[in-house]
Amino acid sequence: PDGFVLPNSPYGTDCSTPMQVGNPGTPTNPAIFCQFVFDITTFYDPNKKVDAGIGGKTKVFNDVVVAIPPATAGFVTVTSTPDAATVSAGSPIGFTIAIVNSSAATANSATLSDPLPAGTNVNWSISPAYAGPGTCAITGAVGVQVLNCTFGNVAPSASFNVHIRSASSSAGNYISAGSVTATNQQVLSIANITVQSLPSPSFSALTPSQSVTYGTASITLAGKLSNGNSFPAAGETVTVTINGVSQQATIGTGGAFSIAFPVSTIPASATPYTISYAFAGDATFGPASDTSTSLTVTKASSVTSITSNTPNPSAVSQAVTVSFTVSGAGIPTGTVNVSASTGETCSGVLAAGKGSCILTFAMAGLRNLTASYSGDTNFTASASTAVNQTVGAASPLAISPSSIDFGSVAIGSRVVRIITLTNTSSQTITISRVAIGAPVPAAARIISSQATTAANVTSGNDLDDYRADSECPRALLPGKSCKIRVIFIGDNDQLGHTSASLVITDSVPGSPQIVALQATTTGPRLTLRPDELDFGARKIGSISAPKSIILTNSGTTTIVLGAPATTGDFSVATGSTCVSGLTLAPGGNCKINVTFTPKKPGEREGILTVADSASRSRASVELVGRGK
């Protein structure tokens, strides 16, 4: 007692030294090491305020309850024992809960409750089946399971047990806290199992390093992820990344995975691209990665052709428009040079794989024309076969200038040039028609300047950007001149180089007369690849792994991006580098990550859109997926 002891009191609180009772120096017989002021083992005073009940709190005990059950009371003990104190993730785990009536009396209304520990891959069951008194069952969904037992009255010296087991496990600590209640007693037993993570798995049997030409659609990449004879669960994913673009490969049986990785837009490079494999880890395994293989993209071959040289035949000093194409597994870019066998040259820049330039010849005669492509990052150089060009004597209808290059014109801008026609002969020349036409010689391709239709426009050109306003009379007298106003308006739908012809139909032999026209529309343009993303089927409410879209400024001027936006059940995900305010130079690119979270079953559709800050250029990608 710590409050009752007084100086010279025979009672003390030191339990290591016998207390003295009676005469000083005379020990008790037997010695008393710790003596209570109230002998609660031999009397019971229900009227004593501080002794309410057997072994009640006395006046001199602070925060202490002492209870000694009678010899005739039933007493039950419970002991929880793990099958193994430490195991590796994925292994079975279990506890044995033993119940014993160690007293000489029956323990009445005995029950057991044990809130079972939760974890990934953990699902508890009673195994083997319970064979003791009463009943035992596990209730609740996985993750909130509880073991409940009703034993009834447990006879003296009775003993039995319950074994619970999970066939699999994930890393963590698992604690069983079994509590038995019987005849106003409650006994708790706690046991612990530590589940250790397996070491990180490793990649093996990876597809060897690859080499492809630019424009190849895809390559098949495969491998295996394992730790000895253990594998990640089927359905988990490996992230494969090349040149900043990632795709998800699904893991199958035995850790095997395979994916057709799209590579058509990866530029050719003398430096191989690293193929990166990454596994994020799960409840059983740690993360893993591999960068031991690579992809080499070599230049694709190109084919250069002269598609037309207009007009042919031409007159001395008359402009001849030479049109050309360069084709390959994609769209070549760069410059094409055209050379005549008599030394004349011109060059033109490719737009969508097509282009043109203008030659004039000072002497009549036959010559050969050849186009040579110098190649670019993704395509090798190539040259066309030669075509013939016949140059005749000068026409009596002088045209100045003989060709017009409007130069670089910003989108929406308007540029006007004047062409002068002069009758240098002694005869009247009849001018029957002035119109804008395609840069080809056939009269059937001539287009009215008042009615341009899409069906008339030569692929790669945009004739409706050109206009002609003639002030020339029908009859141009000898020595007289007249003017034609030619107008070009830059249009966003034909960014880059365009070409056309001013077609003058007259009474001069060799009519019509052709004046070559060309211009380059400058401005920004957004290109998104791929132009459609299919996320496949996903469980409603679950978030897919992100898929990437590459945005490129395929225009000719710097662009400032607005924020990417999505509709439907799709969202712009973290890791995107295309953000509002980002400045992209021509040819620059960035990445947009998109995820899919189906809200309803069935087909789900949406659109990703991106615009520049001035809304002059806009691009979109179709998004599809299915909820299940």
Side-chain angles (χ1 to χ4, degrees):
D2 61 355
F4 190 86
V5 178
L6 298 173
N8 303 318
S9 170
Y11 308 111
T13 58
D14 184 354
C15 295
S16 63
T17 303
M19 292 184 290
Q20 305 298 312
V21 177
N23 295 325
T26 303
T28 58
N29 186 18
I32 300 174
F33 284 74
C34 285
Q35 183 171 326
F36 296 118
V37 172
F38 297 105
D39 185 354
I40 60 173
T41 64
T42 60
F43 78 91
Y44 171 61
D45 184 355
N47 298 316
K48 201 175 187 75
K49 186 176 180 180
V50 295
D51 282 345
I54 296 177
K57 186 192 300 182
T58 71
K59 291 179 180 178
V60 294
F61 292 133
N62 288 346
D63 301 324
V64 175
V65 176
V66 178
I68 301 176
T72 57
F75 187 75
V76 175
T77 61
V78 57
T79 305
S80 297
T81 305
D83 293 355
T86 304
V87 300
S88 297
S91 302
I93 56 176
F95 294 95
T96 297
I97 304 171
I99 296 89
V100 178
N101 184 351
S102 57
S103 69
T106 298
N108 297 321
S109 304
T111 62
L112 168 68
S113 178
D114 188 352
L116 301 177
T120 306
N121 301 327
V122 174
N123 184 12
W124 295 101
S125 62
I126 300 174
S127 177
Y130 174 64
T135 61
C136 282
I138 293 176
T139 60
V142 174
V144 288
Q145 293 175 294
V146 178
L147 171 64
N148 289 300
C149 296
T150 301
F151 302 127
N153 298 331
V154 181
S157 302
S159 64
F160 48 91
N161 60 65
V162 182
H163 184 262
I164 57 173
R165 181 180 186 272
S166 174
S168 185
S169 62
S170 53
N173 289 319
Y174 296 85
I175 298 174
S176 170
S179 175
V180 168
T181 300
T183 316
N184 298 324
Q185 304 174 50
Q186 185 172 348
V187 182
L188 177 68
S189 180
I190 297 176
N192 179 72
I193 297 175
T194 299
V195 179
Q196 298 177 332
S197 297
L198 290 176
S200 295
S202 59
F203 287 94
S204 61
L206 293 174
T207 301
S209 296
Q210 303 284 292
S211 179
V212 299
T213 58
Y214 174 78
T216 299
S218 64
I219 58 174
T220 298
L221 298 175
K224 180 180 179 181
L225 188 61
S226 63
N227 182 341
N229 293 322
S230 299
F231 314 99
E236 296 192 63
T237 58
V238 169
T239 300
V240 185
T241 303
I242 305 176
N243 192 33
V245 177
S246 298
Q247 298 286 325
Q248 303 298 316
T250 302
I251 299 173
T253 303
F257 62 89
S258 178
I259 185 175
F261 197 101
V263 296
S264 61
T265 60
I266 297 179
S269 174
T271 302
Y273 295 95
T274 298
I275 302 176
S276 174
Y277 298 89
F279 174 64
D282 57 18
T284 303
F285 296 97
S289 63
D290 188 282
T291 56
S292 62
T293 60
S294 62
L295 170 68
T296 301
V297 181
T298 60
K299 290 186 177 184
S301 59
S302 66
V303 177
T304 301
S305 304
I306 293 178
T307 56
S308 66
N309 44 310
T310 307
N312 187 21
S314 62
V316 170
S317 299
Q318 184 178 13
V320 175
T321 300
V322 182
S323 298
F324 43 78
T325 63
V326 181
S327 60
I331 302 177
T333 60
T335 302
V336 172
N337 296 313
V338 177
S339 302
S341 56
T342 48
E344 297 84 356
T345 62
C346 67
S347 63
V349 177
L350 289 171
K354 303 177 185 296
S356 65
C357 62
I358 297 170
L359 289 173
T360 57
F361 302 99
M363 298 177 61
L366 178 68
R367 63 262 292 151
N368 296 325
L369 307 181
T370 304
S372 299
Y373 171 55
S374 56
D376 65 5
T377 301
N378 298 317
F379 293 92
T380 59
S382 60
S384 72
T385 57
V387 298
N388 293 330
Q389 176 69 37
T390 300
V391 181
S395 169
L397 182 63
I399 301 175
S400 179
S402 59
S403 64
I404 294 178
D405 185 349
F406 290 89
S408 296
V409 180
I411 294 172
S413 298
R414 182 174 182 269
V415 182
V416 179
R417 295 287 186 266
I418 303 297
I419 291 179
T420 301
L421 305 186
T422 302
N423 184 351
T424 61
S425 72
S426 59
Q427 304 293 323
T428 297
I429 296 176
T430 299
I431 301 176
S432 59
R433 193 179 194 186
V434 175
I436 297 297
V440 294
R445 302 303 291 272
I446 297 174
I447 302 170
S448 168
S449 62
Q450 302 301 318
T452 302
T453 64
N456 299 123
V457 178
T458 300
S459 175
N461 299 281
D462 200 0
L463 303 189
D464 61 0
D465 291 354
Y466 296 87
R467 299 286 187 272
D469 183 7
S470 176
E471 299 176 359
C472 293
R474 181 175 178 81
L476 186 62
L477 300 177
K480 297 296 182 179
S481 298
C482 64
K483 297 183 182 298
I484 301 172
R485 297 171 69 246
V486 183
I487 305 164
F488 177 80
I489 301 174
D491 190 349
N492 184 46
D493 65 356
Q494 183 60 48
L495 196 63
H497 181 268
T498 64
S499 59
S501 299
L502 177 68
V503 182
I504 304 169
T505 305
D506 51 43
S507 58
V508 175
S511 176
Q513 315 302 321
I514 304 295
V515 178
L517 309 174
Q518 65 177 351
T520 301
T521 303
T522 60
R525 173 180 286 169
L526 300 178
T527 301
L528 295 174
R529 292 290 182 273
D531 55 13
E532 178 178 331
L533 280 184
D534 189 340
F535 287 82
R538 291 204 62 80
K539 185 178 180 181
I540 294 174
S542 66
I543 302 175
S544 72
K547 289 195 174 185
S548 299
I549 297 169
I550 301 301
L551 181 151
T552 303
N553 179 4
S554 56
T556 59
T557 60
T558 297
I559 195 169
V560 179
L561 296 183
T566 58
T567 63
D569 298 348
F570 304 88
S571 302
V572 176
T574 58
S576 300
T577 57
C578 299
V579 295
S580 179
L582 178 67
T583 299
L584 286 181
N589 60 61
C590 59
K591 178 177 68 173
I592 304 172
N593 289 336
V594 180
T595 57
F596 172 49
T597 308
K599 299 177 181 177
K600 296 180 180 180
E603 195 78 14
R604 311 297 292 165
E605 296 180 350
I607 296 176
L608 168 77
T609 56
V610 187
D612 69 41
S613 57
S615 298
R616 294 180 297 174
S617 182
R618 182 178 295 271
S620 62
V621 172
E622 294 183 38
L623 307 173
V624 295
R626 289 166 293 284
K628 64 176 182 178

